[in-house]
Amino acid sequence: MSLQVPLQAKGRYSSLCSDDELLDDDDPSVWEEPGLSSQQGSIFLPNTGRLPSAPKEDSSQLSAVIKMGWLDKNPPQGALYYQRRWVKLDVDYLRYFDNDKQVYSKGIISTASITNVTSVGELKFEVITNNRTFIFKAESDAERKEWVTVLQDSTRGRQRRSTLNPGSPLSPEFKGYLELKGLRSKLYTVVTSDKVFLYKNMEDYRIGVGITSIEMNVGNVKVTDRRSFDLTTPYRIFSFIAESEQLKDQWVDTMRDAIGEALSNREVADQIWAEPSNSFCADCGTPKPEWAAINLCVVICKRCAGEHRGLGPNISKVRSLKMDRKVWTEELIQVFLLLGNNRVNSFWAANVPPSEALSSLSCSDDRRRFVTNKYRHGKYRKYHPLYGNQRELNNALCINVQCSDVLETLSLIFCGADVNCSTGMASCPTPLSLADTHAQPLQAVLLSHNLNTDLPRSEVDGGMEEVHFPAPTCVYHNGFLFKTGSMARAITERKAKEEFSRRWCTLNDCIFSYYESDKNSNPNGALRASEIVCLAVDVPEKHGYEHTFELYSESDRLYLFGTDDPNSHKEWIKSIAKSFIPAKAEPLLRLGFERIGRLKCKDGLNLQTSKVGWFALVGSTLHAYLKDSQEEEIHLRKLNELSIQQDNGVLVLVERGRTLYIEGERKLDFAGWCAAIQSAAGSGGDTLSQQQLTDTDIPVVVHSCVDYITQCGLTSEGIYRKSGVNSRVAALCERFRQDARSLRLKEGEHQVDDVSNTLKRFFRELEEGLFTSEDGGTWLTTTAIQDESMKISQYQKLLNKLPRVNRATLRALINHLYCVQRFSELNQMNLHNLAIVFGPTLFQTDGKDYTAGRAIEDLIQYYTLIFEVDEQQLKKQLEEITVIIQVREKLNTKFPSTEPGGHFICTVYLEEKKDTAEQHVKIPASMTSAELTCEILDRRNIPVKDKEYWNCWEVIDKEEMERPLHYRERVLPILHSFGTDSHLLIKKHITMEAMIIYLASKVDPSKHGMMKFREERSILGLGLSSGSFHDRYFILNSSSLRMYKEVRSNRPERDWPVKNLRVYLGIKKKVRPPTCWGLTVVYESKKQDKAERQQWYLCCETQPEMREWYATFLSIQNDGDVWPQEGIQPSRVSRALPDSRHGNVSLIPLRGSENEMRNSVAAFSQDQLAGRCLASSGDLATLQ
């Protein structure tokens, strides 16, 4: 079968050229070069640059079949048998197929690569290329002659011209090896303008012998895996595997471009380009721009169009000249022809500094900056004479749309005229209707495309009415990022690069979207800004990509994004944060935050209702904007307490004078906040400022060690000179490094020499040193000054030059060393000895000379002058230390005592906890609550009147609860169970009389009723939520307390022996009790020699109800003996109790923290009964 060869006015020299790039006018002889072996590109696809294209021709001629029919073809490797093939010849290729129904060929031979066609043997003919010969066999001699003739005519004169034509429009867009699923080997793949070609290898590509070609006008590309993608056509799916994920993205982008080119229509582009200035991009000057911003009236290239899309459709409406055919009405085309890029730029680019102008080679960042300045900010525009006068601008617009000056209308609109302003005419209420009425279609189309355009923000100083040009409410940004799949759990392992996929991301109209590529119109996923609750910035190189960040959503999902570009990373962080942080918290955006987002919280003044707060974590500081309040800063390393209750979803931050409760609405972001805050609150490094600090800016490790040695080691001979056990010192250093705030040094558990060596090691290993590396040498040279006043003055200057934390730490340490040498007769550490030890340690020298020691000696010797110490304060401190030493010597016991059965010195308060109400009593093992009460009342000479019920109370401050001890209850076991937040208080029991009356009126000793119940961290395992109270029915009898789910329940949920229960009045506010009338119940027992402790909470509706329950508990536990019949009388303790004082020195308490003990000594010395008056003093930090 044969078809007539179409007439060709001029020869075509390339067979796979795109429809819009023909070189009919080229002279083939221009490109002739001798020899073919030097050609590196394909014979029919030269890999050289392109020349400007001519107008597009009908593509039917290019694909017209010249001849087709059945032929027998010899197989490769010279086999003897032939294979029957359906063969097609067109002007470009000789193709052969398995059958006449197939679309994709078994092989293709470029007619440009055929050097000769000859008849051989019986019915055979040869098709010869440079290095291969194909043998075909026809059914008859006539058929063979016809094939030979047609092939010779089709290939005559094409070889040299097509091969050597550097202007061939078929230069490949992308080429390389791809693995085709189902084949064992890779195929060399070439993407041209609108087609994809497959070759066995690169050599076949160069000689022009391939497998098949794929028309991209019927193709679609879809990513299937990290390195895989599918090219889908109606006839077959080609599943490719790239060599890397990055190459996969490039292949996909190039093939999608080919699809766009295949589907494009040049008609509109040719019309727009008819205006010469439209043939170059309005922003960068790139030739043949194929995109336009139809509301801004500029024609732009592909790269600039990407930046225009990033501005958002409310600023730039980007459309393609080739693909968006429907939008290009005749009127819109006429607007672009009338204005042209040159005239439009006389407005948009009237004031572009040469240093800011773009070129076709400009990078993406420069383009983004220029496009944003030009169109969003209007930075380079030519300001209209009426700019800033809204009324006059509107009037001018209404007048101008009635004539044909479209450029003036453009200038008015983008200098502030309101496109939707009122004309004052009922028949034509808007400028658009005016344009229509006056038959101005070009004006009308310009107005219609700018009805909802955001005007440029004013950037000009001097009296402009900026109110007319507000900044956009939304943030716009776009670019490529690498993304992992979203997760419902925290990221605990490092994500390798292979686990990320490249995605085109946009932030537009407060929606963050990510796409398969920048060519896709449908996003793979999206997050509204209102759904983002937290943005976390990871440390560099935490994952495979150097810079990553995490987004947390309302739905408790985590999204991880990454990039290797630090500038892109920074811009994305800034843009995303700005999109969801409200205006009132915008100052947070100026911080270099590691985590930012919203959380619910309560403060100490209002625990009833939660309020939304916006938080940013910067280093060790938590910045917060709470509702209707200014910015607050919480210095995490200075917190008094940090507790994280994951079960209850509460993060408790206790700082001086305030407690903040942060609630977790969602587990995922709350866990992230908890971990981040906990890490930030710990020691952040090896410099002083990175340590956990006290309120006075002294590192907690220094304060703890100094405090402990002051209490327990001032009389230790050779203190700071003797070595501790290295393993114990290393362990102490590590514990302080992990969380210094949680470590409590205790005598008996920690040795004095271990603690002293821990302090020295801390200063020895301190980065930058105590005196800083910058000024350390100046401190040492100061020792050479002979004049005492000049030396002291120089030390003071250096002291004031130190950073705040270094200055406070040095002051505290020298104060401590001054006190140590004042007691050198006991510890043998005089001024010189201390200087020898601490000189090399603090200055971090080798100690070969005494210069460092002399500097420390000067600081200690002139301590009061250099640091301007209050002599009276120092005297009080030394007196306090003297009292501590004397008491320890007289008692000849450890401090505090741990001897079983021994006497304890206990601090007891009268009516309220304050220094003036302190009493210190020696507690024998047999002393009861009533005896202790009488002892205190005797001391104060307080008579007990009738109906007064004085009682000893156990008060636990941390739990916000208290318990009246039974009058026969022994005090010593209570002291053994004490924590540092507990104390004993003597006060009246104001409800005791009501309780006695209630119990006297009861016939049945048991009680039952409904109460609200809450577990402490789900300890009981009842399956109840630990975050709220639940109604339960309780029965209390002589043996047990039983809890039922409801009144009608037959079986109790839990049964507790009543004798093992300890019931306290009060519930801590942290658990959010529904009423203020509550009980805290503690259950203690032993199981398999292990102590078991449980705690839960009961809430009553009224105070009388709570009192009745408590009275019943008290009565059952004490067999009805609630209060002695004769009452409490001071005369009950007429027996001689051990004197609580030794000579003139008061005994100090043996419970509580060391600071409390020291304060107690000073306070007790003011007691009139103590017989000696010593001035009260605060803790060591205050003295310093």
Side-chain angles (χ1 to χ4, degrees), residues 261 752 925 1166:
E261 183 67 27
V752 169
Q1166 294 180 335

Side-chain angles (χ1 to χ4, degrees), residues 668-825:
L668 200 55
D669 74 294
F670 180 69
W673 275 108
C674 288
I677 290 176
Q678 196 170 29
S679 175
S683 298
D686 294 326
T687 64
L688 275 177
S689 60
Q690 293 174 314
Q691 307 301 311
Q692 291 174 315
L693 304 174
T694 66
D695 292 335
T696 52
D697 289 324
I698 302 170
V700 174
V701 56
V702 175
H703 183 273
S704 297
C705 292
V706 166
D707 199 32
Y708 178 85
I709 291 170
T710 301
Q711 299 260 357
C712 308
L714 281 186
T715 60
S716 176
E717 186 172 333
I719 183 68
Y720 289 118
R721 200 164 185 175
K722 292 163 60 178
S723 299
V725 178
N726 190 56
S727 60
R728 294 202 297 254
V729 172
L732 270 178
C733 289
E734 182 59 28
R735 287 192 61 190
F736 274 122
R737 189 176 294 111
Q738 290 175 355
D739 187 6
R741 190 185 297 109
S742 64
L743 178 57
R744 295 288 183 267
L745 297 175
K746 299 177 182 178
E747 189 177 13
E749 182 177 340
H750 302 101
Q751 305 304 313
V752 169
D753 292 329
D754 293 340
V755 175
S756 65
N757 277 265
T758 298
L759 183 63
K760 289 193 298 181
R761 184 175 294 187
F762 170 78
F763 283 112
R764 166 68 74 174
E765 298 176 353
L766 196 62
E767 189 176 329
E768 295 294 321
L770 178 60
F771 297 96
T772 73
S773 56
E774 180 182 353
D775 293 324
T778 311
W779 283 87
L780 295 177
T781 58
T782 305
T783 60
I785 299 175
Q786 298 300 318
D787 184 85
E788 183 176 305
S789 60
M790 289 180 62
K791 179 185 288 189
I792 292 172
S793 176
Q794 179 64 15
Y795 278 132
Q796 288 178 329
K797 289 179 182 178
L798 292 172
L799 178 67
N800 293 329
K801 192 178 177 182
L802 286 177
R804 185 186 70 256
V805 177
N806 295 57
R807 187 166 58 250
T809 305
L810 179 61
R811 186 185 188 93
L813 180 63
I814 299 302
N815 168 270
H816 172 64
L817 297 181
Y818 178 85
C819 295
V820 171
Q821 59 90 30
R822 285 292 297 266
F823 295 92
S824 59
E825 71 279 1

